[in-house]
Amino acid sequence: MIDTRALRPVLDSVPQRSNDEILKLRRQWLNPTLSVSYREPLKIVRGEGVWLYDQHGQAYLDMVNNVCHVGHCHPRVVEAGQTQMARLNTNTRYLHDNIVEYALRLTATLPVPLSVVFLTNSGTEANDLALRLARAHTKARGVIVVDHAYHGHSPSMIELSPYKFNGKGGEGPSAHVGVVAMPDTYRGVFREGPEAGRQFGQLLQPAIADLHAREMATAAFYCESLMGCGGQLVLPDGYLPEAYEAVRAAGGVCLADEVQVGFGRAGEHFWAFEGQYVVPDIVTMGKPIGNGHPMGAVVTTPEIASSFVTGMEYFNTFGGNPVSCAIGLAVLDVIAEEQLQENARRVGAFLMDGLRNLQRRHDCMGDVRGQGLFVGVELVRDHDARVPDQATASAVVEAMKARHVLLSTEGPDDNVLKIKPPIVFSQANAEQFLDTLDQVLTSV
C-alpha cells in the first residue's frame, strides 16, 4: 500500500463533496457526453490490487479494470514513476536510456520481425498512427474492420469503429471502410465447429472485392486479438490465418489491436494474437502498458517503418518521455517477477471451470467464453433460440454491485457480462466472485 502522507497537503486542498454535488457539477461544467456506471454511481477514492474503495472505506472487488493491469496503485509502478518524475521528464529530442531500454524489452516479447517501436500516449493514438503507417506502406486507403469493433475515439478511429459509427449518434460507415461479421460462433452466421474460423475468415474476400468495386484498394485489416466491445469474443481457431492471407493477397497489411488484451492477460500467451498462430504486420498497445499511466505503442516491421520515412518527422511531445518509459519498464518487471501471465492462465482456467459449473445450474447463462483473465458470460432468455437477455444482464450487474463486486456488460445486445480484472486477481478472489454470482443468479 502506498503511503500518501506526503501528499496530504495537496489532497486536502480539494473540497470533499457529496455524490449528488459531484453529479450536479459534472452536468454543469464537464463534457455532457460523460457517463457514469450504475444506477447509484460510486465515488471511488482509493485503489489497491484488485480492490477499489469508496469514501466510506467500503471495498469493491474490481472485475472490469483491465487498465490497471498489474493491480491498482502497484507500489513498484508508483515508485518508478515518482522516482523518475523527481529526476527528469522531457522529450525524445534528448538522448535517454529509458526509451531505448523500453524498446529492447518490449520487442523481446514479440515475434520476429516486429522490431520497430513508436511510442504514443494512448491506444487511440497508437491505432491512429498505425493507419498512417499502413497507408504509407501500401499507398492505399481502404480498411477492413470487424463489426462492433472499437479502435479509438479520434476522427479516423471513429470511422474504423462500427461500435461507434453504427451506434447512437453515428453516421454509418465511410466509403473507405469495409465491415465483416464478427466471428461469433455462439450467435453468428457460422456456429461452433472446426471450420467456423475459416468460414468467418473467408468473409474478408467479398469485403475486399466490395472496396475494390468502389475504387478503393485495401490498405489494412484491423482486428482485436480478442473482441471486447463485441462481447468478450474469443476468435475461433483458424480465423486470423484465413483473414490475413486474404488481406495480404490484396496488398494490405494486418494489424492486431492488443490495446485491451495484451501483456499476458490471455494466459497461454503474452500477446493474444499468438493463440491464432499468426504474426501481424503491426501491433498496437495501450491501457495495460502503463498500468493506468497514459501510454501507448505501435510495433511494426522495419519494412513498414521505412515506408513512413518521407521527410515528415513523427514527433510526439509526451510519447516516449522518461517517466512513461520508467513506468512501462516497471510494468514489464512486475509481470515477469510476479509471474502474472501464469497467474492469468491458472486463475482464468479456475474461473472458467467455475462459471461452467454455474452454467449447468442457471438457465440464463447461455455461453461462457474466454482466454486467461478475459472472460464473457452471455445471458439469454431462451437456450435453444439463444435470445439475448439485456434486462437480466443489467439486473445482475446492479445486484453484484450491491454485494460489492463490480461488473459491467458488453456486446451488440448489451447482454454479456464482461470479466477482465487486474491480472493479480487470485483464486480466492475468483471463489468470492463465483459464490456471489451464484447467489445473484439464484435471486434474479
Side-chain angles (χ1 to χ4, degrees):
M1 180 173 166
I2 302 302
D3 185 355
T4 59
R5 285 174 294 183
L7 302 176
R8 281 177 185 164
V10 175
L11 298 175
D12 291 345
S13 69
V14 179
Q16 300 302 294
R17 300 177 172 93
S18 69
N19 290 15
D20 288 342
E21 288 177 299
I22 293 172
L23 283 168
K24 181 180 178 180
L25 290 168
R26 280 170 62 108
R27 285 192 290 267
Q28 184 175 0
W29 296 105
L30 295 182
N31 162 16
T33 70
L34 284 178
S35 64
V36 292
S37 298
Y38 310 110
R39 285 197 296 266
E40 295 183 6
L42 290 168
K43 181 179 179 180
I44 298 298
V45 300
R46 186 168 69 85
E48 183 179 356
V50 297
W51 301 98
L52 291 172
Y53 297 84
D54 68 14
Q55 72 272 36
H56 307 297
Q58 175 62 58
Y60 291 83
L61 182 61
D62 186 358
M63 299 291 297
V64 291
N65 202 316
N66 63 319
V67 179
C68 290
H69 189 61
V70 299
H72 292 281
C73 303
H74 192 289
R76 178 81 171 270
V77 178
V78 173
E79 182 182 13
Q82 288 175 330
T83 301
Q84 184 58 55
M85 195 179 299
R87 183 176 297 154
L88 173 72
N89 195 22
T90 184
N91 59 60
T92 53
R93 289 204 165 113
Y94 299 100
L95 300 183
H96 199 277
D97 290 303
N98 285 7
I99 188 170
V100 292
E101 181 64 17
Y102 189 72
L104 289 168
R105 291 277 306 281
L106 183 64
T107 54
T109 69
L110 288 157
V112 176
L114 294 166
S115 59
V116 182
V117 178
F118 297 76
L119 292 173
T120 67
N121 300 302
S122 67
T124 292
E125 275 196 359
N127 278 327
D128 188 85
L129 174 60
L131 181 61
R132 291 179 60 193
L133 288 164
R135 285 176 169 168
H137 186 66
T138 62
K139 310 303 181 188
R141 288 194 55 79
V143 182
I144 306 294
V145 297
V146 180
D147 200 10
H148 218 72
Y150 175 62
H151 297 292
H153 58 78
S154 68
S156 72
M157 289 301 104
I158 292 295
E159 291 178 349
L160 300 191
S161 300
Y163 174 72
K164 291 292 187 182
F165 67 63
N166 282 333
K168 292 179 181 178
E171 297 180 352
S174 301
H176 63 275
V177 175
V179 181
V180 294
M182 287 195 303
D184 177 2
T185 60
Y186 181 66
R187 289 201 295 127
V189 292
F190 305 113
R191 297 295 172 91
E192 301 92 336
E195 292 299 304
R198 188 180 62 82
Q199 290 171 315
F200 276 112
Q202 289 173 345
L203 297 179
L204 271 81
Q205 286 282 8
I208 291 167
D210 186 57
L211 281 178
H212 184 73
R214 286 180 257 156
E215 299 184 344
M216 195 72 63
T218 299
F221 170 50
Y222 272 58
C223 186
E224 299 164 90
S225 302
L226 298 168
M227 291 198 66
C229 292
Q232 304 293 103
L233 287 180
V234 177
L235 305 180
D237 291 345
Y239 176 67
L240 287 186
E242 189 77 24
Y244 279 19
E245 182 179 358
V247 172
R248 286 168 174 158
V253 299
C254 301
L255 179 143
D257 182 334
E258 293 268 338
V259 168
Q260 291 204 56
V261 298
F263 294 92
R265 176 169 293 279
E268 293 287 345
H269 306 282
F270 198 80
W271 303 105
F273 68 75
E274 294 175 293
Q276 288 275 311
Y277 303 99
V278 293
V279 178
D281 303 299
I282 304 173
V283 181
T284 57
M285 308 162 193
K287 294 188 194 319
I289 192 172
N291 209 51
H293 179 82
M295 187 178 182
V298 180
V299 184
T300 189
T301 66
E303 291 76 19
I304 292 174
S306 66
S307 297
F308 198 58
V309 181
T310 63
M312 179 188 292
E313 180 187 18
Y314 174 74
F315 173 71
N316 184 322
T317 302
F318 300 111
N321 71 78
V323 172
S324 294
C325 291
I327 289 171
L329 285 165
V331 170
L332 292 176
D333 287 341
V334 170
I335 293 170
E337 292 171 14
E338 297 185 12
Q339 299 182 315
L340 295 184
Q341 180 184 337
E342 169 59 19
N343 185 71
R345 186 201 65 77
R346 180 177 52 80
V347 178
F350 176 85
L351 182 60
M352 289 285 287
D353 286 344
L355 286 168
R356 285 175 176 142
N357 285 334
L358 293 183
Q359 186 182 25
R360 287 190 278 271
R361 302 206 306 273
H362 297 286
D363 289 341
C364 65
M365 295 177 67
D367 190 35
V368 173
R369 52 188 179 246
Q371 281 184 8
L373 285 173
F374 183 93
V375 177
V377 178
E378 183 144 0
L379 301 188
V380 296
R381 293 199 303 272
D382 183 310
H383 250 284
D384 293 331
R386 303 183 179 187
V387 178
D389 192 347
Q390 190 276 333
T392 296
S394 178
V396 167
V397 168
E398 292 290 344
M400 292 292 283
K401 179 247 190 181
R403 291 165 172 80
H404 310 129
V405 177
L406 303 183
L407 281 176
S408 187
T409 56
E410 205 64 275
D413 297 291
D414 216 24
N415 68 312
V416 179
L417 302 179
K418 64 176 176 181
I419 301 167
K420 44 187 178 183
I423 63 169
V424 292
F425 192 75
S426 69
Q427 183 168 319
N429 298 144
E431 289 170 352
Q432 177 187 346
F433 165 70
L434 291 166
D435 289 344
T436 307
L437 182 62
D438 190 18
Q439 296 168 26
V440 165
L441 290 174
T442 300
S443 65
V444 168

